[in-house]
DNA sequence: ACTTGATCTAGACCGTCCTCTAGTTCGTAG
DNA sequence: CTACGAACTAGAGGACGGTCTAGATCAAGT
């Protein structure tokens, strides 16, 4: 299930940044904001050591963020997971609500796409016919 | 082609806000930022009078914004349209690039949706089986 | 030992996109 | 004439989601 094939070697923040696409800044920021489930382990020197489970959680976070879940809600979700079993119903509600939002978003985007595609088509035609068209309705 | 059936009665800012869903603040802001094509007409008293063409342009703006076009780019597009014919190729490039971004966005969202749907499914099953599952992998 | 580069913390800062405020004016109904 | 809501301007303010800085420390190579 692990997304990375690494066995159990803990990863440095830089490695995690590379694997996830998040900046090291963002990784620290997420941690400070309480967006992670467990506390990240540290070396004796104080450096973070991420497990693959940590990375997997981050990858989920990224998907949720990418699809527009606000940090506050992500934080809420992390809290629920952190507090262990017993609140699955609430987690489900949260995810389900988000899923609905994502679906609405996709619909909205598809509508936008078709509007844009229409305009692109019109401009394309206009150009293909040579630019002799003169002033034509800009709001088409 | 007009999106509103009103013949030629100009509209007040409040009416336009109602029709478009933008706030009056946002309407003034858009104007200040140069996001509109023509200057909005004014009454002798200085109040804005929107034509249906203005509203149509706003509706386009809304679609572009909704699909993530930044204001700066929208402004650029408005400038091109404002400066009349002769730059259709550039308008087309701009719209086309945006369309590609929208498509990429839709793809990304669909991926997110499937990830989320999987989790929703797992939580749903878990709950259906009764909450006796105990601690299970939170990163599933 | 020295250098180099990655990491650490706390907090300041930033871009984007509006929203809201303050104080004023317009214009329509009574 | 008065009053009231809607609109006006310029500019401050705010939410969001990070990014960046400063100055210090850690760890690995030579």
């Amino acid at each position: 299930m692990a997304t990375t094939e690494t066995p159990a070697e803990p990863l440095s923040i830089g490695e995690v940044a590379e694997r996830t696409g998040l900046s090291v800044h963002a990784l620290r920021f997420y941690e400070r904001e309480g967006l992670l489930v467990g506390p990240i382990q540290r070396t004796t020197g104080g450096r973070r050591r991420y497990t693959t489970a940590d990375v997997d959680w981050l990858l989920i976070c990224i998907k949720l963020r990418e699809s527009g879940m606000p940090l506050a809600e992500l934080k809420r979700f992390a809290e629920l997971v952190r507090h262990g079993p017993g609140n699955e119903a609430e987690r489900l509600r949260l995810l389900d609500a988000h899923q609905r939002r994502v679906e609405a978003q996709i619909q909205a985007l598809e509508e936008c796409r078709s509007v844009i595609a229409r305009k692109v088509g019109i401009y394309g035609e206009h150009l293909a016919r040579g630019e002799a068209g003169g002033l034509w309705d800009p709001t088409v």
Side-chain angles (χ1 to χ4, degrees), chain A residues 99-115:
Chain A
Q99 190 180 12
R100 259 188 268 290
R101 281 198 303 268
V102 172
E103 272 153 15
Q105 233 187 119
I106 290 172
Q107 278 233 314
L109 275 181
E110 261 158 10
E111 216 181 297
C112 294
R113 174 175 61 178
S114 90
V115 168

Side-chain angles (χ1 to χ4, degrees), chain A residues 25-46:
Chain A
H25 296 299
L27 284 169
R28 290 193 278 246
F29 171 71
Y30 276 27
E31 184 174 342
R32 258 196 286 177
E33 293 296 301
L35 268 43
L36 307 187
V37 170
I40 301 297
Q41 297 306 310
R42 302 289 184 119
T43 65
T44 49

Side-chain angles (χ1 to χ4, degrees), chain A residues 87-106:
Chain A
N87 55 25
E88 285 82 359
E90 190 169 351
R91 296 188 214 173
L92 178 56
R93 265 199 303 285
L94 193 150
L95 284 182
D96 201 49
H98 183 60
Q99 190 180 12
R100 259 188 268 290
R101 281 198 303 268
V102 172
E103 272 153 15
Q105 233 187 119
I106 290 172

Side-chain angles (χ1 to χ4, degrees), chain A residues 16-122:
Chain A
V16 173
E18 235 175 88
R19 273 171 183 54
T20 59
L22 294 170
S23 70
V24 294
H25 296 299
L27 284 169
R28 290 193 278 246
F29 171 71
Y30 276 27
E31 184 174 342
R32 258 196 286 177
E33 293 296 301
L35 268 43
L36 307 187
V37 170
I40 301 297
Q41 297 306 310
R42 302 289 184 119
T43 65
T44 49
R47 272 87 199 282
R48 293 172 178 81
R49 308 272 78 188
Y50 292 81
T51 65
T52 55
D54 295 329
V55 174
D56 287 340
W57 174 255
L58 280 168
L59 294 173
I60 290 165
C61 288
I62 288 168
K63 284 300 175 202
L64 293 174
R65 285 287 305 122
E66 247 181 37
S67 50
M69 180 181 286
L71 292 189
E73 197 170 335
L74 188 43
K75 178 174 181 175
R76 175 82 189 122
F77 186 48
E79 276 162 4
L80 289 173
V81 174
R82 192 180 315 132
H83 292 141
N87 55 25
E88 285 82 359
E90 190 169 351
R91 296 188 214 173
L92 178 56
R93 265 199 303 285
L94 193 150
L95 284 182
D96 201 49
H98 183 60
Q99 190 180 12
R100 259 188 268 290
R101 281 198 303 268
V102 172
E103 272 153 15
Q105 233 187 119
I106 290 172
Q107 278 233 314
L109 275 181
E110 261 158 10
E111 216 181 297
C112 294
R113 174 175 61 178
S114 90
V115 168
I116 296 163
R118 196 164 78 90
K119 284 184 82 71
V120 165
I122 290 169

